[in-house]
Amino acid sequence: MPDDFDKSEHGLHPVSIELLHGLVFISFCESPPSLKNAIKELADPLATFDTANLKVAATKDYPIAANWKLAIENYQECYHCATAHPEYARMHTLMLDDKMQNRVQGHMLEKMEACGLKQVNIDYVDTAARPGEQGYGFSRTAMFEGYKTGSKDGEPVAPLLGRLTDYDGGASDLTIGPFSFFLFYSDHVVGYVFTPVDETHCQCRIYWMVRGDAEEGMDYDRDALMWLWDVTTCADERIIVNNWKGVNSRYYQPGPFSEMESLEQRYIEWILRELKTQF
Ligand SMILES: [Fe+2]
């Protein structure tokens, strides 16, 4: 190129990047919603699990032949869990009614402090996000008694994370924006990133993360670590694709939301609101 060629005028397009305690968030829009308060408010809960020093032990891509909105809707509700996910449903309690849920939750709350955990409930997800900010949420939910973590027999599959000193039998949900979800067991973290590919295809990439100093073969077994969310996501892929066929059928008509689908309903309200303000 000639001497007066200005490289700064011909570079790659810039993207916005934010670091959230070791997690890297990239936005392709010109002025992304702020993560400032999320970074501040999530500092302590994420320091508990030492997210900045996690190690990615495994990743797997799950291509889904359906529109991305159906895939994310599916992640937002547990109405389908009991029937679609026998492995998940025998340890997680999200599909219990409030009374039963409160009882198991109570047992976990009593144990949390002694295990090095504090209960933190944050809900600025989707339509609850503050103006100009990315939505985010954090909370911990008890698993059934006998389950220390999300594994086949409920026994640990990796060393305890961060500042944790024992197993409280819970798992924390972290939501950041519309496409990223994380589940914090006491000994590993599962991250789910949904990516729209085109109108009729999307993808879910799952990250399994363990303590930064954990060694494969010594401290964890990759297959044991991946088991629950691999089998669960394969089942989700099947029901999302079936749903997609259903909504494209000429017989399709929308039905009412169940009471267990309040997060999904909020998500849809958020999409509709965004469509009105962006276009
Ligand atoms: Fe599911």
Side-chain angles (χ1 to χ4, degrees):
M1 301 303 290
D3 290 343
D4 62 353
F5 180 73
D6 184 356
K7 284 185 186 170
S8 69
E9 292 290 312
H10 301 279
L12 299 171
H13 294 286
V15 289
S16 300
I17 291 184
E18 281 280 13
L19 293 178
L20 199 143
H21 309 286
L23 304 168
V24 183
F25 287 85
I26 300 170
S27 174
F28 294 95
C29 75
E30 276 171 24
S31 47
S34 166
L35 275 172
K36 224 168 100 190
N37 278 327
I39 291 168
K40 208 162 63 186
E41 212 173 346
L42 292 166
D44 194 54
L46 295 188
T48 303
F49 296 96
D50 197 17
T51 46
N53 292 304
L54 291 175
K55 160 183 161 178
V56 177
T59 62
K60 188 171 169 183
D61 289 332
Y62 299 86
I64 305 168
N67 183 274
W68 59 274
K69 292 190 285 300
L70 282 186
I72 298 177
E73 275 186 44
N74 178 270
Y75 188 87
Q76 301 266 12
E77 51 86 7
C78 217
Y79 185 45
H80 70 275
C81 291
T83 46
H85 305 308
E87 303 85 1
Y88 171 92
R90 73 174 193 240
M91 57 189 90
H92 281 274
T93 60
L94 276 180
M95 56 281 157
L96 293 182
D97 65 35
D98 285 352
K99 209 171 143 199
M100 281 168 77
Q101 168 75 43
N102 286 340
R103 198 179 310 147
V104 276
Q105 190 74 358
H107 294 316
M108 180 194 77
L109 292 171
E110 281 167 22
K111 269 194 256 172
M112 277 178 85
E113 209 175 320
C115 298
L117 283 151
K118 261 194 295 212
Q119 178 62 315
V120 179
N121 285 311
I122 300 169
D123 184 0
Y124 295 113
V125 175
D126 296 333
T127 50
R130 289 170 288 195
E133 288 189 22
Q134 186 67 274
Y136 61 99
F138 188 88
S139 62
R140 193 162 180 85
T141 307
M143 290 189 292
F144 283 113
E145 209 178 327
Y147 282 90
K148 292 177 180 160
T149 188
S151 68
K152 221 174 218 174
D153 58 1
E155 286 302 304
V157 282
L160 276 169
L161 295 173
R163 297 180 198 154
L164 272 67
T165 52
D166 204 349
Y167 291 84
D168 68 333
S172 301
D173 280 287
L174 167 68
T175 300
I176 306 276
F179 297 109
S180 312
F181 306 91
F182 301 85
L183 189 56
F184 287 75
Y185 294 105
S186 296
D187 60 352
H188 69 287
V189 181
V190 191
Y192 316 80
V193 179
F194 290 91
T195 310
V197 175
D198 61 23
E199 189 192 333
T200 57
H201 296 85
C202 64
Q203 175 184 279
C204 177
R205 171 172 287 183
I206 299 191
Y207 297 85
W208 285 268
M209 291 165 272
V210 294
R211 269 180 86 104
D213 57 3
E215 284 183 42
E216 190 179 349
M218 295 251 294
D219 300 310
Y220 66 91
D221 174 84
R222 221 166 151 268
D223 291 342
L225 189 72
M226 294 172 75
W227 171 76
L228 175 63
W229 282 99
D230 185 47
V231 75
T232 302
T233 308
C234 288
D236 276 328
E237 187 266 334
R238 279 195 301 276
I239 62 174
I240 294 164
V241 170
N242 276 341
N243 251 338
W244 180 235
K245 286 178 188 160
V247 298
N248 282 293
S249 156
R250 70 191 182 96
Y251 292 105
Y252 172 70
Q253 59 184 82
F257 285 104
S258 84
E259 287 169 358
M260 290 172 76
E261 292 171 304
S262 56
L263 276 179
E264 181 189 356
Q265 191 167 3
R266 215 207 277 187
Y267 179 70
I268 288 168
E269 282 162 11
W270 175 82
I271 291 176
L272 294 173
R273 197 182 70 182
E274 287 294 300
L275 286 172
K276 274 187 203 143
T277 51
Q278 304 286 335
F279 299 102

